Amino acid sequence: MRKSLLFVAKMFLVALFPFVTSCGIDDVDAEDGAIVFELYDDEGSLVEGLQSMKFGETTAYTLKSAFVTYTEVIAPTGWKCSVIPSSRSCTISAPALSDLEAEAGGDITINIQSQRGRTLSYTIKVAALEDDVVLTFDGSATTDRLIYSYGKSLTYTYSSENVVSLDVEMPAGWTYENDLDAGTLTVTAPSKEFENPTLIGDVKVTPLSIRSTAGESSTIPVELSTKMPVIEFQQEAYRFKFSEQMDIPCTLSYIDQCNITKPDGWTATLDKDNSLLKVTAPAADSGTTYGTLVFDAASEDGLTDSFQLDVAIYGISTADEFIAFGEAVTAGTPLDDYTLDNEIILHQNIDLSTSQLMTFVGSAEQPFAGVFNGNGKTINVALSDLEDTKEIGLFHTLGATAAVKNLTIAGQMNIATLNPVVAGVLCAYNAGAALTDITNTADITYTGAKSSSTMGHIGGLVGQATVGSVYTNCQNTGKFTFTQSVRSIAIGGIIGSAANETVGSLVNCSNKGAFTLTLADIGQDSGRIGGLVGMTEVAEWSYTDCTNEGAFTMDFGGTNRQFHSLGGILGYGYGSFTRCTNAGAITMNNALSANRRIGGIAGCIGSDNGNGKLSLTLIDCHNTADFALTTNYAGGLIGIAEKMKAGLIEDCTNRGNLSNPNTNLASDKVPNQFGGIIGCAYGNCTIKNCKNYGNISGLVRYRAAGILSGVRNANNRIENCENHGNLNIQTIEAATTAFPIVAGIVTIENECVMTIRTCTNTGSITATVKSAECVDPVYVYQKAIESGKADQTDCDEISKSNSAGTVINITLKE
C-alpha cells in the first residue's frame, strides 16, 4: 500500500532565460511550452537509476524545470519528497529506521502539470539502507571447541553494532540465555536426563537489526564429553560460624587432580575417597568473611574444568546480602543466613548508595525485631523520597524487641516531600528498640515547600519514636540543611520527635551537625528544632550527659517568617536533663518578627495539651555558646517554661552572651524577654545554685534579667543564684509605657509571690527605661510600676546586700 503526499505549488511562469543557476545547471528555453523536469545530483550528474540512502537520511537534488506549475507526489509508505520549482530544489527523505511500518524502498512518482494543462509523470526508484549489522565474539569463542560436562554452563562475551536481537540455533539438548545489554551469551550443555543429545556440534548465532535484517552469522563449536571432570554440591553456597569445620558432601566424577583456590583465612581439602569437601572457616578477625572456592580439576585423560562454591560466615558482608536481609525482614521469612550468635551481624563496610530505595529493611507490618550488630562497620546510603514517599530510613520500623548497636551510617538523605514526612537515616519509626553506639554522619537536606500543617518528623537517626526506649552513646555529625521551610516539622539531631505518653532516655548522646535553616515566605512555620530531639510534646524523656556542639544558623530573608521553638538539646517538650551541655551558637539573620522560643538546653517547656502531670528538671546543665536572636523568649538554658507540674533548675550555668543584633524593628516585633538562665517561667519553678556569666544586650521590648526574665504565676523560687553578666538594654518603646523593665536577678510580671534567697548580682545594668524604678540590682515587681499594686515579693536582705554594689546606668525615655 502506498501513501500519497500532496504538494501544491502555484507559480508564475519563470522567464524563458533564467538568471539563477545551480551546480552549473540552467533551466531550458521551452518555446513550445513543453514541460521540462530533470533532477541532478550534487556533482551535476543527471539522476538515473536506483537512488540509495540510509534510513533517516535526506538527499537534496537540483531541479531543472520549465512550465511546472503543479506537482503531486506519490511516495512509498514512510518516505517524503518535496518539490519546489521556484527554488530549483527537490529533497527525498528516507523513513526512520525505527518506523517498522515504513517501506524499505519503491518508486516515488511525481505527477506534473503545466499552466496550459500539459502533464508529465516522473519516477524515481529509491531504497533505504541500514548500517552494518555486526556481531563479534571476544577471544577464541568461534575457533576453539570447548568441552562441556553434563549441565555445564559457559558464558561468551561479544560486542555488537545495530543489533537488537539474536537468532540462535542450538544442537539437540543444548540451551542458551542471551543478555544483549551485557553482551553475554551463556551456553548450557544437556543434562544427563536428556535423551540422545548432540555430543559435538555448533551454536550458530545470527545478529538481527530492528527491521530483522540479518548480519553475518558466527559459529561457536561445542562438545559434550561424558568423561569430563565433575564436582557437584547440593547447595550453591554454605554458611559457617567462625572457626567452624564442615564436611560438605559432593559428587565427584573423573577427578584425577584438583587445585583449590581459597579466600583469605579459609582452608579446603577434597576427600575424593569419601566424596567430601572439608572446609574450615577462619577465626574472627583472621580472614575474610566471605568468598568463593575455585576448583580447577583434571581427569586422567587430561580433560579440565573449573567449578565454584560460595562460602561465607553467617551475617552480612556485601551490599547484596544486606538488601536480601532487608527483603527477608519485609517478607517475614527466616533470617538464619544473617544470624550469628543470635544477632544479625555486619562483617564489612557496605555501600548502598547506588540502590534507589527509600527504606531497605522491614515495614510497618513487618518491623525488624532482632538484634542488629553493626560490629563497628559503616553503611553508606543515599536515601531520598522517590515518588513522594512519606517514610524514609535504612530501616522502616524497629520493633519493641529490636536493638541496633555498634553502627555508623554515612552518605546523605535528601527529602523534597511537600507534605508530612517521617524520615530518619537509621529508621523512620522506632517502636521501642534500644540503640547503642550508633553514629550518623550522613547529611540531611530538605527542599520541600511544605504546605500541610500536619506534623512531620525528621531525625539524624530516628524520624519518630513511637515507643520509648534507651539511646546510649548515639551521635550525629551530619549537617541539616533546610532550604525553604520548617513548617510543622519536628527536627532533631538524634530523634525528630517522640510520641505522646512515651518515656525514654538519651545517655551520653551528642550532636555535632550544624543546622542551616532558610525560612522562605511560604506560610506560617511552626517547626520544633532540637540539637538532639525536636519534640516530646506530651512525654517526659530524660537526658543524661548529652551534648550539642552543632551551630544553628537561620536566615529569614527579611520576612516575618516564624518557627515555634529551638533548643540545643530539646526543641519542645518536657523531661529531665542531667549534666547536659550546649556549645552550639544560635544565630538569626534578616528576621523581622519575634514569635519564637529559644534556649541553650530547651527552647520551650511548653503546652502539655491539658495533661497537667509533666515536669522539668535541669541538674548540672550548662550553655557556653553565644546567641544572636530576634525572638520573643530566649534563655541561656530555657527559652520559656509553661504549664509545668513542677520545675527544678539546679547547679546550672550560662556563659554565653545573649543579644538582639537587629535594631531596625517595629516596636511590636522587638524581642520580648531575655534571661541568663530562663527567658520566661509560668510558675511552679525553683532555680537553685545557678550562675549566669553571659552578657545580655540589644533591643528588648518587655523584660530582661540575669537569671529569670518574666515570672507569670505563683510558687516560683530563686535561691543562691548569681548573675555576673552585664545587661545593656535598649528600647524603642514609647515613654508612656512601663517597658522595658530590667533586673540583675529576676523580673516579676504578674501578681504572684516570688521567693528570692541569698542571691547575688555583680553585673552592671545599662538601660533606657521610663523611670528609675524600672531597674533594680535584684528584682523588679512589674505591677507596682504599672498600677501601683503592692509588692508581694519575698526577697531576703542578704540578696539585696550582696547586690548593693551593682553599677547602674539609666537613660530615661523621652
Side-chain angles (χ1 to χ4, degrees), residues 468-743:
S469 62
V470 179
Y471 296 66
T472 306
N473 299 329
C474 293
Q475 286 84 35
N476 174 70
T477 63
K479 298 188 295 292
F480 285 77
T481 303
F482 282 68
T483 61
Q484 293 199 59
S485 172
V486 295
R487 186 183 185 202
S488 301
I489 305 176
I491 308 161
I494 303 297
I495 305 170
S497 75
N500 291 350
E501 310 298 335
T502 58
V503 177
S505 64
L506 279 71
V507 179
N508 197 34
C509 296
S510 67
N511 171 67
K512 294 183 179 180
F515 292 75
T516 302
L517 311 172
T518 301
L519 304 181
D521 194 5
I522 55 172
Q524 185 70 28
D525 284 318
S526 53
R528 279 82 160 166
I529 306 155
L532 272 69
V533 179
M535 180 175 73
T536 59
E537 182 173 7
V538 187
E540 286 185 294
W541 283 53
S542 64
Y543 308 82
T544 304
D545 296 316
C546 292
T547 304
N548 174 64
E549 297 179 30
F552 301 86
T553 303
M554 295 156 280
D555 194 313
F556 294 81
T559 71
N560 287 324
R561 292 283 60 76
Q562 304 172 3
F563 62 89
H564 187 277
S565 48
L566 183 152
I569 303 297
L570 171 66
Y572 177 63
Y574 293 82
S576 62
F577 303 80
T578 304
R579 295 185 300 278
C580 293
T581 299
N582 175 64
I586 305 175
T587 304
M588 298 171 62
N589 298 317
N590 302 313
L592 294 183
S593 183
N595 187 17
R596 307 167 193 94
R597 307 149 181 88
I598 298 177
I601 299 298
C604 180
I605 307 300
S607 173
D608 59 3
N609 284 343
N611 183 286
K613 300 177 181 178
L614 304 179
S615 61
L616 163 70
T617 303
L618 266 72
I619 305 296
D620 195 14
C621 293
H622 311 279
N623 174 65
T624 62
D626 291 341
F627 304 157
L629 310 171
T630 304
T631 189
N632 272 3
Y633 306 103
L637 274 72
I638 303 293
I640 186 170
E642 299 177 312
K643 300 182 181 179
M644 298 178 299
K645 177 183 68 175
L648 173 63
I649 302 176
E650 187 171 8
D651 296 325
C652 297
T653 63
N654 172 58
R655 295 183 180 274
N657 298 318
L658 279 70
S659 66
N660 171 26
N662 196 339
T663 60
N664 185 26
L665 292 169
S667 60
D668 62 340
K669 305 302 181 184
V670 173
N672 283 348
Q673 299 180 158
F674 278 4
I677 301 298
I678 302 183
C680 181
Y682 273 76
N684 303 319
C685 184
T686 298
I687 306 174
K688 298 174 61 176
N689 305 324
C690 294
K691 297 179 182 180
N692 174 58
Y693 297 92
N695 297 326
I696 301 174
S697 62
L699 287 176
V700 175
R701 185 181 187 190
Y702 289 149
R703 287 164 285 274
I707 299 298
L708 169 57
S709 173
V711 177
R712 292 187 174 177
N713 293 327
N715 302 319
N716 290 279
R717 182 181 182 89
I718 299 180
E719 180 180 333
N720 198 32
C721 292
E722 300 175 10
N723 174 57
H724 303 288
N726 298 323
L727 287 84
N728 189 345
I729 304 304
Q730 305 169 35
T731 184
I732 55 176
E733 287 291 300
T736 56
T737 67
F739 303 112
I741 57 176
V742 185

Side-chain angles (χ1 to χ4, degrees), residues 240-385:
F240 294 75
K241 295 181 179 180
F242 285 112
S243 302
E244 182 180 5
Q245 194 279 324
M246 186 183 301
D247 291 342
I248 301 174
C250 55
T251 300
L252 306 176
S253 301
Y254 303 104
I255 302 296
D256 181 48
Q257 296 180 357
C258 183
N259 179 60
I260 305 175
T261 302
K262 302 168 285 293
D264 182 37
W266 295 74
T267 63
T269 57
L270 194 61
D271 183 350
K272 294 189 293 181
D273 295 336
N274 296 298
S275 297
L276 293 174
L277 175 66
K278 297 180 178 293
V279 179
T280 302
D285 301 322
S286 64
T288 183
T289 56
Y290 72 104
T292 301
L293 297 171
V294 179
F295 306 85
D296 294 315
S299 69
E300 291 183 351
D301 296 334
L303 298 174
T304 60
D305 208 343
S306 181
F307 307 89
Q308 295 183 350
L309 181 67
D310 291 332
V311 292
I313 301 295
Y314 284 105
I316 298 171
S317 295
T318 68
D320 288 342
E321 285 186 334
F322 187 91
I323 292 172
F325 152 71
E327 291 172 346
V329 172
T330 306
T333 55
L335 305 178
D336 296 347
D337 283 350
Y338 317 105
T339 304
L340 181 65
D341 296 333
N342 300 315
E343 295 181 342
I344 307 297
I345 189 163
L346 181 65
H347 294 300
Q348 305 289 336
N349 297 334
I350 60 173
D351 187 356
L352 300 174
S353 63
T354 60
S355 300
Q356 295 296 307
L357 294 174
M358 289 70 72
T359 61
F360 286 84
V361 184
S363 64
E365 297 75 21
Q366 292 286 350
F368 175 67
V371 177
F372 187 93
N373 185 350
N375 197 28
K377 306 302 181 183
T378 298
I379 298 177
N380 191 56
V381 299
L383 300 168
S384 62
D385 53 340

Side-chain angles (χ1 to χ4, degrees), residues 685-801:
C685 184
T686 298
I687 306 174
K688 298 174 61 176
N689 305 324
C690 294
K691 297 179 182 180
N692 174 58
Y693 297 92
N695 297 326
I696 301 174
S697 62
L699 287 176
V700 175
R701 185 181 187 190
Y702 289 149
R703 287 164 285 274
I707 299 298
L708 169 57
S709 173
V711 177
R712 292 187 174 177
N713 293 327
N715 302 319
N716 290 279
R717 182 181 182 89
I718 299 180
E719 180 180 333
N720 198 32
C721 292
E722 300 175 10
N723 174 57
H724 303 288
N726 298 323
L727 287 84
N728 189 345
I729 304 304
Q730 305 169 35
T731 184
I732 55 176
E733 287 291 300
T736 56
T737 67
F739 303 112
I741 57 176
V742 185
I745 300 299
V746 58
T747 61
I748 304 163
E749 180 177 351
N750 294 332
E751 297 180 62
C752 58
V753 175
M754 181 76 209
T755 302
I756 304 172
R757 292 289 183 271
T758 60
C759 292
T760 301
N761 177 69
T762 65
S764 65
I765 301 176
T766 301
T768 300
V769 293
K770 179 179 180 180
S771 63
E773 61 184 347
C774 294
V775 178
D776 190 87
V778 181
Y779 76 94
V780 175
Y781 188 77
Q782 178 180 321
K783 289 298 181 180
I785 302 171
E786 288 182 326
S787 55
K789 297 283 186 179
D791 186 354
Q792 302 183 57
T793 305
D794 181 5
C795 179
D796 65 354
E797 291 301 319
I798 296 177
S799 298
K800 296 177 181 180
S801 175

